[in-house]
Amino acid sequence: MRDIAIDTDLAKILSDCMGAPIALCNSLYFEKGSAQPPHVDAIYMTPQTHGHLLASWVALEDVHEDAGPLEYYPGSQLIPQWKFSNGTYHSVPEEMGAWHAYMDAQLKERAYETRAH
């Protein structure tokens, strides 16, 4: 995984996609899934430049129903990000209930449906 993360050819492709130089800033590893509710990675790993987060997910086992498949909402990247009371897009724990309500309303209004893989 480290070799993939720091591959110069991949970095060039990603930089071209973003229109700016990229930097590896985070890596997570879970023995078991985190069982998080639907969320937006950028509110936890908030990029310095708004809207400039690339994230990937690599399954280290076969994906199947018993393993807790990855769920996502195609098109949800178009939902305007919630700005928290501190003026940033980074999560404020006390406001996560309001954030979830906002996202639920946006998903319903746009008729986005979950997909699992």
Side-chain angles (χ1 to χ4, degrees), residues 13-63:
I13 292 167
L14 297 176
S15 291
D16 289 348
C17 288
M18 294 300 290
I22 59 143
L24 176 64
C25 68
N26 202 342
S27 178
L28 301 172
Y29 172 81
F30 296 107
E31 287 286 331
K32 297 188 184 296
S34 61
Q36 294 177 327
H39 65 279
V40 174
D41 287 343
I43 68 173
Y44 300 109
M45 298 178 290
T46 310
Q48 289 183 351
T49 303
H50 179 65
H52 280 75
L53 174 69
L54 282 170
S56 65
W57 175 80
V58 177
L60 300 177
E61 66 178 335
D62 290 341
V63 177

Side-chain angles (χ1 to χ4, degrees), residues 18 42 44 75 90-91 96:
M18 294 300 290
Y44 300 109
H90 191 80
S91 70
M96 289 307 295

Side-chain angles (χ1 to χ4, degrees), residues 3-4 9 12 20 28 31 33 35 42-43 58 66-67 70 72 75 92 111:
D3 290 344
I4 293 171
D9 291 333
K12 169 85 171 91
L28 301 172
E31 287 286 331
I43 68 173
V58 177
D66 293 339
L70 173 72
Y72 63 98
V92 173

